[in-house]
Amino acid sequence: TGNTWVQEAYLKAAEPITNDQFGFSSAISADTVVVGAYLEDSSQSGVINGSGESSGAGATDSGAVYVFKRNG
């Protein structure tokens, strides 16, 4: 806004868990942001849309990448 930055969005894991290292790595391209959590514990093998780790917890420190896309 003018010369001042204003927070517009908040990015976080669906179910943030201590020591997952969410945000350790990240990249931005146009309207897409990807955020790495290299110690995330999900055993999920496919793409899940915001359902968090509780549905697939079990593969200790297997890692994950979260993809955020801006609409609008």
Side-chain angles (χ1 to χ4, degrees), residues 13 15-22 37-42 53 60-61 66:
E15 285 189 30
I17 305 295
T18 302
N19 297 323
D20 277 355
Q21 299 299 315
F22 178 85
Y38 79 96
L39 295 179
E40 198 266 350
D41 296 330
S42 176
E53 12 180 338
T60 302
D61 299 342
Y66 295 80

Side-chain angles (χ1 to χ4, degrees), residues 14-59:
E15 285 189 30
I17 305 295
T18 302
N19 297 323
D20 277 355
Q21 299 299 315
F22 178 85
F24 186 83
S25 57
S26 63
I28 301 171
S29 178
D31 292 336
T32 303
V33 176
V34 293
V35 180
Y38 79 96
L39 295 179
E40 198 266 350
D41 296 330
S42 176
S43 60
Q44 184 72 30
S45 61
V47 175
I48 54 176
N49 191 6
S51 62
E53 12 180 338
S54 61
S55 62

